[in-house]
């Protein structure tokens, strides 16, 4: 039995084939093009040709893709939606999408704010306006196939959101895509609502890439594989789950690299530096999984608060363009030759000096023809490398939580451009197969389940509440497809909420297990 792991990057699409013992059988890179399926299928075809494995023995296929991120950033492929907020009269002062740019706010066909919702302690704010809810959905019937529903403090009680979702299906049909904020974001109405709106607008994009990936695999004779999508906490989800929550695929590329780096280096806690062709992503590996961001995250100019990895990206990669000013100063990036590196970089016979050329000139890397970069002055190369070093070391300082040196794992196809003696690190490790760590992370990822609730420890003792949360998280992981005996708790926390009555805490537990 084999697993196929694929990760679509801005420069290359990486693919790996691993066996049932999680041993890497083969790895390939294929240029990413405007049509991502060309890159995916090119990588799969190259991998299958190289290995000559029985395609019927590929039983699982995992994909990490940037489709949803690109759709938001480029404003392409987003579906028309309707937005319903439950929270009048308290929230009418700030309408939905109030600070959105016009080009992306255009996805909204109509919005309304009706009475209902709850206080921070779960008490009802106002009666739920069932008639107003039904009238709103009647008004957008035939205009949209996707709706976003948010409610004041729905993370405490989501009764009104569930009631509105039921009405939406009654009016718009059972096949309507309904996103409710309590399933997507956390505390904070506006940011949670924003994430829900994006999720609703992405449903057609998700439908296209899930169906397209499955169909493309069948075209290549991979017909026995169950298909999974990478999500941004370093675990997998089914195609059905991806269609329902496409926003959770955003930033799955860096998390795949972090998971792959953990597997290849056998480290559970480290800083991961993933160098691609255009950018370098830095993330923190904590207990084998990516550290989650604790602040609101802006995606394509939209401020959200749903689950995202804590990642810093800088404009440095193997294809970053190196320029020399008249005064002799050197700059590196942030623009890059991207997937055209094999055509434009000097070592490949091109006419553009890149970070890869600098690494080859200094004897740090062996790619292309070194004779083609001998004309780069030694001083220029050293200045460029100093600039590249500074960019990465500054980013390392940003990611660290203390001044102590930290173990660092260097992965990605562009890792050859960086030195191994980086300031702030205890050791820098570059494991075997590091160039395809992202695809490996996709292939070996586990299935997770998360439970989150607000609990008053005056009513439910802390030990009892945490035990219930652990059980619920394990069951959620099993329901998502994990083998029960392999599920373990990977993160548990309870945070006191001072503005709540009694001894209320936000209890959050995450469990993960091997894919069945």
């Amino acid at each position: 039995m084999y697993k196929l792991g694929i990760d679509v990057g801005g420069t290359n699409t990486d693919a790996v084939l691993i066996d049932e013992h999680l041993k890497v059988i083969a790895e390939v890179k294929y240029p990413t093009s405007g049509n991502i399926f060309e890159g995916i299928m090119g990588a799969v075809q190259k991998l299958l040709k190289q290995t000559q494995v029985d395609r019927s023995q590929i039983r699982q296929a995992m994909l990490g893709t940037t489709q949803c991120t690109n759709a938001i950033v480029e404003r392409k492929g987003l579906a028309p939606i309707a937005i319903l907020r439950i929270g009048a009269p308290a929230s009418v002062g700030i309408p939905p999408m109030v600070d959105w740019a016009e080009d992306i706010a255009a996805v909204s066909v109509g919005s309304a704010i009706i009475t209902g919702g709850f206080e921070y302690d779960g008490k009802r704010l106002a009666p739920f306006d069932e008639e107003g809810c039904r009238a709103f959905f009647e008004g957008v019937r035939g205009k949209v196939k996707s709706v976003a529903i948010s409610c004041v403090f729905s993370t405490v009680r989501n009764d009104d959101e569930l009631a509105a979702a039921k009405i939406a299906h009654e009016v718009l049909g059972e096949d309507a895509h309904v996103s409710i904020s309590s399933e997507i974001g956390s505390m904070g109405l506006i940011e949670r609502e924003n994430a829900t709106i994006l999720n609703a607008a992405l449903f057609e994009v998700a439908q296209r890439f899930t169906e397209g990936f499955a169909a493309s695999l069948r075209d290549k004779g991979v017909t026995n594989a169950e298909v999974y999508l990478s999500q941004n906490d370093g675990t997998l989800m089914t195609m059905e789950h991806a269609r329902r929550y496409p926003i959770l695929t955003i930033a799955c590329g860096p998390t795949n690299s972090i998971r792959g780096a953990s597997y290849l280096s056998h480290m559970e806690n480290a800083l991961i530096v993933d160098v691609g062709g255009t950018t370098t992503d830095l993330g923190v590996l904590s207990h084998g999984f990516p550290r989650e961001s604790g602040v609101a995250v802006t995606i394509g100019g939209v401020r959200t608060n749903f689950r995202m990895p804590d990642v810093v990206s800088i404009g440095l990669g193997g294809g970053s363009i190196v320029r020399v000013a008249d005064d002799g100063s050197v700059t590196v990036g942030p623009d890059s030759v991207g997937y055209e590196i094999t055509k434009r970089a000097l070592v490949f016979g091109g006419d553009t000096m890149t970070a890869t050329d600098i690494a080859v000139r200094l004897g740090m890397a062996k790619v292309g023809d070194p004779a083609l970069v001998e004309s780069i002055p030694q001083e220029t190369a050293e200045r460029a490398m100093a600039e590249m070093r500074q960019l990465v070391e500054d980013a390392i300082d940003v990611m660290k939580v203390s001044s102590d040196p930290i173990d660092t794992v260097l992965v990605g196809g562009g890792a050859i451009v960086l030195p191994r003696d980086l300031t702030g690190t205890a050791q820098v490790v570059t494991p075997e197969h590091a160039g395809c760590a992202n695809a490996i992370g996709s292939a070996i990822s586990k299935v997770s389940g998360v439970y989150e609730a607000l609990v008053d420890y005056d009513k439910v003792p802390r030990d009892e509440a945490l035990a219930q949360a652990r059980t619920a998280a394990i069951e959620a992981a099993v329901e998502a497809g994990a083998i029960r005996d392999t599920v373990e708790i990977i993160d548990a926390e309870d945070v006191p909420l001072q503005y709540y009555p009694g001894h209320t805490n936000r209890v959050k537990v995450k469990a993960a297990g091997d894919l069945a």
Side-chain angles (χ1 to χ4, degrees), residues 12 293 410 503:
N12 288 307
S293 176
L410 194 58
H503 293 87

Side-chain angles (χ1 to χ4, degrees), residues 9-12 30-34 277-278 336-343:
T11 302
N12 288 307
Y30 195 90
T32 299
S33 62
T278 304
S336 168
V337 297
Y339 57 79
E340 293 185 328
I341 187 169
T342 55
K343 297 179 181 178

